[in-house]
Amino acid sequence: MEFVRLEVEDGVGTIRLDRPKMNAISFQVQTELRAVAEEAAGRDDVKAVVLYGGERLFAAGNDVKEMADLSFADMVARGDSVQAAVTAVARIPKPVVAAVTGFALGGGCELTLAADFRIAAEDATLGQPEVLLGLIPGAGGTQRLARLVGPSRAKDLIFTGRFVKADEALAIGLVDRVVPAADVYAEAVAWAKQFTGAASYAVRAAKEAIDQGLEVDLATGLEIEKVRFAAVFGTEDARNGMASFVENGPGKAVFKGR
């Protein structure tokens, strides 16, 4: 891979965007991101994932120069691939945290929305400014942003294209934690490391139940939960976890991820 790589250490996989100068998300970056996300999803030695663009910035957006001369027909043909990279990240069946430094705009912001948790630098700036180019978000922004912060706030951000500083992002739920810029990556790795000894299938089942449940009515969501709840009773971790609770009380189980 030229611009996206997976670095694994102590159970945490970092998906690193590295396309100088601004981590612009080109069609090549999208292809690489999708492949790396699928690799992280499939590797048993990756228990949680950090999305990271480096110390300077997360990603300033999609590559506008690459898109400027494309037609309606061109984008119809490419529309699936534009969304597929972010969707691949959203479907990683493990906890995913975005470590947001500098700018996370347009496609970069959409990528953070695919994470389960977002840790931002105090000087971070997020936004969906596509309307200022005569466009709209096309990699999930109209859908995931509305689900995360509510439709009114999403419309405000998308209609105006305005930038959001870290303090406002925290207040509206666009990010979950704000820390000094120098600490962002370490904080994200620490969050991810919580899950390196977790009951992996239980965490996966919980993520699937929440994510799939958000797409349906409550009754259907409860059915999804019921099936996932029953399924984890077939895992070794559930048997060990309940036995440990009965014998030793809560919080002492050792899980094997199976």
Side-chain angles (χ1 to χ4, degrees), residues 14 89-90 98 102 115 129 132 169 207 249 252:
T14 296
V89 173
L132 304 179
K207 178 170 180 172
K252 297 181 176 62

Side-chain angles (χ1 to χ4, degrees), residues 32-48:
E32 293 183 10
L33 181 58
R34 181 179 182 180
V36 169
E38 290 172 351
E39 180 186 354
R43 283 182 58 164
D44 291 338
D45 60 337
V46 175
K47 304 300 183 183

Side-chain angles (χ1 to χ4, degrees), residues 19-97:
R19 187 184 181 219
K21 298 179 179 177
M22 302 295 286
N23 283 343
I25 301 175
S26 63
F27 294 125
Q28 180 180 339
V29 170
Q30 291 167 2
T31 298
E32 293 183 10
L33 181 58
R34 181 179 182 180
V36 169
E38 290 172 351
E39 180 186 354
R43 283 182 58 164
D44 291 338
D45 60 337
V46 175
K47 304 300 183 183
V49 174
V50 177
L51 303 177
Y52 185 51
E55 296 178 357
R56 288 183 57 251
L57 82 165
F58 186 78
N62 287 332
D63 192 333
V64 177
K65 291 182 179 178
E66 191 176 60
M67 296 189 296
D69 295 327
L70 297 181
S71 67
F72 166 77
D74 293 330
M75 286 313 301
V76 168
R78 292 180 179 271
D80 287 344
S81 65
V82 170
Q83 291 187 347
V86 178
T87 297
V89 173
R91 289 180 178 170
I92 293 173
K94 303 165 185 181
V96 178
V97 55

Side-chain angles (χ1 to χ4, degrees), residues 76-220:
V76 168
R78 292 180 179 271
D80 287 344
S81 65
V82 170
Q83 291 187 347
V86 178
T87 297
V89 173
R91 289 180 178 170
I92 293 173
K94 303 165 185 181
V96 178
V97 55
V100 184
T101 55
F103 291 104
L105 302 174
C109 187
E110 288 174 304
L111 183 55
T112 73
L113 298 176
D116 302 305
F117 198 78
R118 282 152 289 278
I119 298 175
E122 292 172 335
D123 59 354
T125 301
L126 298 90
Q128 299 288 168
E130 288 88 349
V131 71
L132 304 179
L133 283 70
L135 304 172
I136 69 169
T142 64
Q143 303 304 304
R144 292 191 178 93
L145 183 60
R147 285 166 169 77
L148 184 65
V149 304
S152 295
R153 288 192 175 112
K155 288 175 181 178
D156 172 45
L157 298 182
I158 292 172
F159 290 0
T160 65
R162 68 183 182 87
F163 292 176
V164 178
K165 297 297 185 182
D167 56 349
E168 182 183 0
L170 181 64
I172 67 175
L174 182 53
V175 301
D176 303 290
R177 187 182 300 169
V178 174
V179 301
D183 299 337
V184 170
Y185 181 67
E187 288 279 340
V189 170
W191 186 89
K193 279 188 174 179
Q194 296 178 98
F195 307 103
T196 57
S200 299
Y201 282 99
V203 174
R204 175 174 182 161
K207 178 170 180 172
E208 291 174 346
I210 293 168
D211 288 351
Q212 293 175 19
L214 286 171
E215 311 303 321
V216 299
D217 61 88
L218 177 60
T220 304

